[in-house]
Amino acid sequence: MKWQGRRGSSNVRSSTGGGKMIGGGIGGIIIAGILWLVFGVNPMTALQTGQAVTGGGSESSTELATSTDRDTQFVKVVLADTEEVWHQIFNEAGSTYKEPSLILFNGQVSSACGSASSATGPFYCPGDQTVYLDTSFFVEMRQNLGISGDQQGSGGQENQGKAGDFAQAYVIAHEVGHHVQTLLGISQQVNEARQQVTQAQSNKLSVLQELQADCFAGVWAQRNQERVQFLEAGDIDEAVNAAGQIGDDRLAKASGGAVVPDNFTHGTSQQRVEWFTRGLESGNVQSCDTFSGAL
Ligand SMILES: [Zn+2]
């Protein structure tokens, strides 16, 4: 993915938390955070299955929790890209887009949604309309998601810099998708609806909300491509492959559990790929009505 030389967002801030994460479990914890971030997988589920899902990534803690200037700049450019595209889309609809903030944190952070750590993983908080990203997630994504297949040559940041760029951008776009759902009032409607239905139906609504954020990420990718031609060969496969690897069905199988659709809260691999692709191919938010006929 091409990203250098474009405007960086001024809505990115850093928060230096005091929290320390030490010990052998850190790899698993951060992987869980990534799963949570990318695909909304429950961190506790992910922690139980993380090894199987990721093929047992290294747990070296020396390379964790370090964000480089490159990472910060990358986040600023991707967030700015989402601002440009969503301003455009809201304007076309005769509305005004309100930009979210993004806080890069290390260890621990407090938000309007409560305090969070790397174990929580990056997330979007509707209360302060802010995306929270743990800085270690870039390193972990490069090392553990195995997205572009060249993770083995531990040749330092320079070599690893390109690995999974677009998957990282997709993660940010997915979180911004939750912001868009908040601006459109969708998140509030889902929350209210979830109070009034059975657990199975509530889970289903949660799936549909996540799938819509995937679809919005696809819409963003398409519109940003029209705007700045940022995609390179293999980028889409990279995101689709990542989505396909981390659906709830795969997690359930990896943990030896039965695949029971009503227990899914975040969608199957196939659903995630389908909805991302739908947004990508249409470039239109109207194609992202995951809720139609839901209950
Ligand atoms: Zn999500």
Side-chain angles (χ1 to χ4, degrees):
M1 147 181 176
K2 287 177 271 188
W3 61 272
Q4 263 132 354
R6 288 206 296 282
R7 178 179 78 85
S9 173
S10 56
N11 292 314
V12 176
R13 279 179 282 285
S14 286
S15 156
T16 47
K20 279 195 292 185
M21 305 281 296
I22 300 175
I26 190 168
I29 289 167
I30 292 173
I31 289 163
I34 292 163
L35 297 180
W36 177 253
L37 165 72
V38 183
F39 301 107
V41 173
N42 182 327
M44 296 317 293
T45 309
L47 279 175
Q48 287 153 20
T49 60
Q51 285 301 92
V53 169
T54 62
S58 144
E59 293 195 341
S60 148
S61 58
T62 54
E63 293 179 64
L64 302 180
T66 51
S67 76
T68 61
D69 290 345
R70 174 263 172 214
D71 289 338
T72 304
Q73 194 50 37
F74 177 79
V75 169
K76 286 182 176 176
V77 169
V78 172
L79 189 65
D81 281 355
T82 67
E83 290 162 359
E84 300 289 341
V85 164
W86 286 110
H87 272 303
Q88 221 174 59
I89 292 174
F90 274 64
N91 285 344
E92 286 165 10
S95 183
T96 304
Y97 179 65
K98 182 175 180 294
E99 298 171 358
S101 298
L102 188 152
I103 291 183
L104 285 166
F105 72 97
N106 183 1
Q108 267 191 315
V109 71
S110 57
S111 77
C113 299
S115 69
S117 69
S118 306
T120 316
F123 61 99
Y124 172 74
C125 173
D128 50 22
Q129 303 204 346
T130 299
V131 173
Y132 291 85
L133 292 186
D134 185 322
T135 52
S136 58
F137 104 100
F138 295 102
V139 179
E140 284 295 305
M141 255 186 115
R142 287 195 280 271
Q143 291 179 344
N144 293 316
L145 280 179
I147 290 153
S148 67
D150 60 354
Q151 320 290 307
Q152 300 308 319
S154 50
Q157 296 285 27
E158 215 50 49
N159 278 351
Q160 295 178 3
K162 273 184 78 71
D165 265 1
F166 182 67
Q168 292 168 10
Y170 172 55
V171 163
I172 295 167
H174 173 101
E175 293 304 326
V176 171
H178 286 311
H179 174 65
V180 171
Q181 289 175 320
T182 299
L183 293 183
L184 296 178
I186 293 168
S187 302
Q188 294 86 328
Q189 286 178 42
V190 170
N191 288 342
E192 282 165 26
R194 290 185 69 190
Q195 314 283 320
Q196 297 160 21
V197 296
T198 65
Q199 185 63 46
Q201 287 172 320
S202 170
N203 287 349
K204 187 173 179 186
L205 286 172
S206 174
V207 169
L208 299 175
Q209 190 174 5
E210 287 302 320
L211 293 175
Q212 186 175 61
D214 286 337
C215 187
F216 283 173
V219 169
W220 167 77
Q222 160 63 22
R223 297 290 295 251
N224 205 47
Q225 175 67 1
E226 278 175 17
R227 200 176 66 86
V228 292
Q229 287 82 49
F230 74 125
L231 294 173
E232 295 176 304
D235 279 351
I236 297 302
D237 286 348
E238 185 177 292
V240 165
N241 184 33
Q245 278 180 40
I246 321 187
D248 283 0
D249 50 345
R250 293 283 179 87
L251 282 177
K253 282 173 190 161
S255 68
V259 177
V260 183
D262 268 355
N263 288 340
F264 290 0
T265 50
H266 300 94
T268 65
S269 305
Q270 196 193 359
Q271 286 174 316
R272 295 207 168 256
V273 170
E274 273 175 18
W275 280 102
F276 170 69
T277 306
R278 199 181 292 210
L280 182 73
E281 286 175 353
S282 72
N284 185 342
V285 291
Q286 264 80 50
S287 71
C288 297
D289 183 8
T290 56
F291 295 99
S292 146
L295 295 176

